[in-house]
Amino acid sequence: MNILEKITNELDMLSKSERKVAEVILASPSTVIHSSIAALAKQAKISEPTVNRFCRRLDTKGYPDFKLHLAQSLANGTPYVNRHVDENDTAEEYTDKIFESTMASLEQARKNLDSNDINRAVDLLTQASKISFFGLGASAIVAHDAQNKFFRFNVPVVYFDDILMQRMSAINSRQGDVVIMISHTGRTKSLVEVANLAKENDATVIGITAKGTPLAKECSIVLSVDVCEDTDLYMPMSSRIAQLALIDVLATGFTLRRGSKFRDNLKKVKDSLRSSRFEKKD
Amino acid sequence: MNILEKITNELDMLSKSERKVAEVILASPSTVIHSSIAALAKQAKISEPTVNRFCRRLDTKGYPDFKLHLAQSLANGTPYVNRHVDENDTAEEYTDKIFESTMASLEQARKNLDSNDINRAVDLLTQASKISFFGLGASAIVAHDAQNKFFRFNVPVVYFDDILMQRMSAINSRQGDVVIMISHTGRTKSLVEVANLAKENDATVIGITAKGTPLAKECSIVLSVDVCEDTDLYMPMSSRIAQLALIDVLATGFTLRRGSKFRDNLKKVKDSLRSSRFEKKD
DNA sequence: CAGAAATAATGAAATTTTATTTCATAATTT
DNA sequence: AAATTATGAAATAAAATTTCATTATTTCTG
């Protein structure tokens, strides 16, 4: 855990003098890692033992150990953070911000994913007699991508981004079919209805959506990619990328479960595209 | 710069005893940050001054300063690396690997992107009388996503993932139209032909593709997301995510260029979806 | 190519710097 | 007023650095 955050959190638990130390550190942590305990004590206008006690209260062995932790926190320097795009950003600035936010979202999504759920989902997919991917709007792209991947596995797979087709397909589903519903909000009415229809017709419904939403309630497994979208300028951005990464995970899990012979087959599919391309001259 | 790399690089410049120190450190850097100079000297079977000289040779002030640098290097600890999925990976392992590889690819893509090119591309897009996104296979998804985004901007935008439609659309293009061709390989024959047709008909062709490829040669701007795909199990994975992030960048650049009134409009588009969703009860 | 001279490397011991502990006093709470 | 807690001066301990003598290595010379 980042020690700077920890200092901020425990600010109330500290004594008056210790808080002075905390303030000096928070004001300029990069100076502190090059200061001796005496220098820091002087700057905070308290005694050296107080600095030492402060360090121990933060569960470090002493001042040098504390500096080590501090140095590490600074090195991380909040690696990938959601940074808001600003009106006056240059191309370079907003490019960096968007890429960083996307990485931060992926990081967050990874933390929130439960590998047991993924395992169960992969189980169901490998045993499915038919797989359907449904999404609308930005999530339609994710469904589209999923179809593109699972299609290569030579299993019956469909994708629809049209409400009526989704409904018809859901009504025709039966035991052994797996339906994957993709929605960032989990609140799109028509999608929830489709999920319900699929469930009523004995299909297994897997949701790539937020937990505790109306859509999630219709699903037997919810793979939740909880990502905050507040960087986004009124467009779904990070969420769909996390969803796509999740599709990659499911597809990879699928191929691993199927064994090495199956992967040879995948290679053939890929190679079949070769004649459609210009040769690479190395 | 990472101090561990630096040690490796300067290994030849070190004396025999100093190299012993280096070896002990490289073998277990995380132990060293908790050792005193005496402990380290003992472990490397050399004297304390030698450790001190070693530290100074690496441009640190002394042993404590060296430990600080080391701690920082460890904190950064090879942030996101392309790690290959292994046959026997658990769900947790391959999930982590895929997410990390994806993040590594984004990081790499960001480094390779030229913000001048992005600026020029955004310029062209804001002035375009019509925008077309063309892609096939996995890149079709990116084109699809781009349409979904640019559609909100209330500009004429189309997307085709069908060769014939692409050709027809390309032939009908004219001065002021911008055509964005998306292809990871840059070698798909039919796409190169479409790019050529568009160019012949005075459209501005922007490529989201690799540099120096047949497709790149037909483009007036090439936005290259050079990402190595060797983690991928015969499926395009990281590349398309980097491309999608690039679409986000272009879309964001577009909205920024259009000013704040325009963004109010975007909000309206988003709000228009509200009635299609179940209310969030907080 | 031996062997002397010069140079560089190394560690023991001394010194200095830095951190920690002890303990008496001051501040705060009960 | 008593008990508890917080604080810093001084003492101690620990760690790092410097000095300097010794040893190893290289370079030069006859």
Side-chain angles (χ1 to χ4, degrees):
Chain A
M1 197 236 217
N2 188 303
I3 196 120
L4 287 168
E5 285 173 37
K6 194 167 181 176
I7 296 174
T8 317
N9 286 342
E10 305 210 349
L11 219 55
D12 325 319
M13 280 86 142
L14 298 175
S15 75
K16 215 192 316 174
S17 308
E18 284 167 355
R19 207 166 309 143
K20 282 189 202 163
V21 183
E23 276 157 19
V24 171
I25 294 167
L26 290 174
S28 173
S30 51
T31 316
V32 173
I33 57 170
H34 296 117
S35 311
S36 69
I37 193 167
L40 177 56
K42 196 175 170 189
Q43 224 197 323
K45 286 173 189 150
I46 44 78
S47 71
E48 300 180 24
T50 301
V51 176
N52 199 272
R53 281 187 287 262
F54 166 85
C55 296
R56 298 226 170 116
R57 203 177 292 270
L58 290 154
D59 303 313
T60 63
K61 286 186 193 167
Y63 185 65
D65 190 41
F66 168 79
K67 283 212 293 190
L68 242 45
H69 282 267
L70 189 59
Q72 294 200 316
S73 301
L74 290 179
N76 268 330
T78 48
Y80 299 120
V81 199
N82 256 300
R83 286 159 63 204
H84 291 254
V85 172
D86 184 271
E87 196 137 358
N88 305 309
D89 279 348
T90 64
E92 188 159 13
E93 282 165 342
Y94 64 73
T95 304
D96 278 359
K97 284 183 182 176
I98 288 171
F99 271 84
E100 288 201 5
S101 300
T102 307
M103 288 188 269
S105 299
L106 283 170
E107 178 70 61
Q108 203 190 336
R110 174 175 67 155
K111 273 189 205 147
N112 290 332
L113 273 173
D114 183 334
S115 54
N116 291 321
D117 288 342
I118 289 175
N119 234 334
R120 283 171 56 214
V122 171
D123 269 339
L124 291 170
L125 285 170
T126 43
Q127 285 154 28
S129 47
K130 188 177 132 196
I131 305 173
S132 316
F133 293 97
F134 297 157
L136 293 171
S139 300
I141 286 113
V142 180
H144 190 170
D145 185 70
Q147 185 212 34
N148 188 287
K149 288 230 153 54
F150 279 80
F151 168 78
R152 293 164 192 242
F153 302 161
N154 202 18
V155 288
V157 54
V158 293
Y159 124 78
F160 294 116
D161 58 2
D162 173 297
I163 304 183
L164 295 181
M165 295 296 280
Q166 289 176 355
R167 291 185 75 96
M168 290 192 282
S169 177
I171 286 173
N172 281 329
S173 58
R174 59 185 66 177
Q175 174 105 44
D177 289 359
V178 173
V179 175
I180 301 198
M181 311 292 307
I182 304 161
S183 165
H184 175 55
T185 60
R187 305 186 170 280
T188 311
K189 286 174 188 168
S190 56
L191 261 196
V192 178
E193 283 168 28
V194 170
N196 184 261
L197 282 175
K199 193 173 77 172
E200 298 284 308
N201 286 279
D202 301 318
T204 308
V205 182
I206 300 177
I208 297 185
T209 189
K211 278 185 189 134
T213 56
L215 178 56
K217 289 200 182 75
E218 304 292 328
C219 301
S220 37
I221 303 179
V222 176
L223 300 170
S224 125
V225 211
D226 281 319
V227 155
C228 60
E229 288 255 341
D230 50 329
T231 339
D232 309 0
L233 278 169
Y234 312 119
M235 298 179 278
M237 297 195 345
S238 336
S239 62
R240 76 192 195 307
I241 289 197
Q243 288 167 350
L244 285 168
L246 178 55
I247 296 294
D248 288 347
V249 170
L250 294 178
T252 303
F254 191 98
T255 57
L256 289 182
R257 198 65 63 85
R258 283 296 179 88
S260 58
K261 255 215 180 115
F262 178 72
R263 287 197 290 287
D264 291 346
N265 212 55
L266 271 184
K267 192 164 184 311
K268 275 185 215 147
V269 174
K270 192 186 179 186
D271 292 345
S272 75
L273 296 172
R274 185 168 299 158
S275 66
S276 71
R277 301 208 174 110
F278 288 112
E279 290 281 318
K280 204 169 182 173
K281 41 204 172 226
D282 290 334
Chain B
M1 197 237 217
N2 186 303
I3 196 121
L4 286 168
E5 284 172 39
K6 193 167 184 179
I7 296 174
T8 317
N9 287 342
E10 305 210 348
L11 220 53
D12 325 320
M13 280 86 142
L14 298 176
S15 76
K16 216 191 316 171
S17 309
E18 284 168 356
R19 208 166 308 144
K20 283 188 202 166
V21 183
E23 277 158 19
V24 171
I25 294 167
L26 290 174
S28 173
S30 50
T31 316
V32 173
I33 56 170
H34 296 115
S35 311
S36 69
I37 192 167
L40 177 55
K42 197 174 169 190
Q43 224 197 326
K45 287 174 187 147
I46 44 79
S47 71
E48 299 181 25
T50 301
V51 176
N52 199 273
R53 282 187 285 261
F54 166 86
C55 296
R56 293 225 239 265
R57 202 177 293 270
L58 290 154
D59 303 313
T60 63
K61 284 187 194 167
Y63 184 65
D65 189 42
F66 169 80
K67 284 213 290 188
L68 243 44
H69 281 268
L70 190 58
Q72 295 201 316
S73 300
L74 289 179
N76 272 328
T78 48
Y80 299 122
V81 198
N82 253 300
R83 286 159 64 203
H84 292 254
V85 172
D86 183 271
E87 196 137 0
N88 305 309
D89 278 349
T90 64
E92 187 160 12
E93 283 166 341
Y94 65 72
T95 304
D96 278 359
K97 284 183 182 176
I98 289 172
F99 271 83
E100 289 203 6
S101 300
T102 307
M103 288 186 271
S105 299
L106 284 169
E107 177 70 60
Q108 202 190 335
R110 173 176 68 156
K111 273 189 204 147
N112 290 333
L113 274 172
D114 183 333
S115 54
N116 291 321
D117 288 342
I118 288 176
N119 234 335
R120 284 172 55 215
V122 171
D123 269 341
L124 290 170
L125 285 170
T126 42
Q127 285 153 28
S129 47
K130 186 178 132 196
I131 305 174
S132 316
F133 292 97
F134 297 158
L136 293 170
S139 299
I141 286 113
V142 180
H144 190 171
D145 186 70
Q147 185 212 31
N148 188 288
K149 288 231 155 52
F150 279 81
F151 168 78
R152 295 165 191 243
F153 302 161
N154 202 17
V155 289
V157 54
V158 293
Y159 125 77
F160 294 116
D161 58 2
D162 173 296
I163 303 182
L164 295 180
M165 294 296 281
Q166 290 175 355
R167 290 185 77 96
M168 290 191 284
S169 177
I171 285 173
N172 281 329
S173 58
R174 60 185 66 176
Q175 174 104 44
D177 289 1
V178 172
V179 175
I180 300 199
M181 311 290 309
I182 303 161
S183 164
H184 175 55
T185 62
R187 305 186 171 281
T188 311
K189 287 174 189 169
S190 56
L191 260 196
V192 178
E193 283 168 28
V194 170
N196 184 262
L197 282 175
K199 193 173 77 173
E200 297 287 306
N201 286 279
D202 300 320
T204 307
V205 182
I206 300 178
I208 297 185
T209 189
K211 276 184 191 136
T213 56
L215 178 56
K217 290 200 182 73
E218 304 293 329
C219 302
S220 37
I221 304 180
V222 176
L223 300 170
S224 127
V225 209
D226 281 319
V227 156
C228 61
E229 286 257 342
D230 50 330
T231 338
D232 308 1
L233 279 168
Y234 312 120
M235 297 178 279
M237 297 191 351
S238 334
S239 62
R240 76 190 195 308
I241 289 196
Q243 288 168 350
L244 285 168
L246 178 55
I247 295 294
D248 289 347
V249 170
L250 293 176
T252 304
F254 190 99
T255 57
L256 290 182
R257 199 65 63 84
R258 284 297 180 87
S260 58
K261 254 211 181 125
F262 179 71
R263 288 197 289 288
D264 290 346
N265 213 54
L266 271 184
K267 192 163 184 312
K268 275 186 216 147
V269 174
K270 192 186 180 186
D271 292 344
S272 75
L273 296 173
R274 187 169 297 158
S275 67
S276 71
R277 302 210 174 110
F278 288 112
E279 289 282 317
K280 206 170 183 174
K281 38 196 176 236
D282 288 333

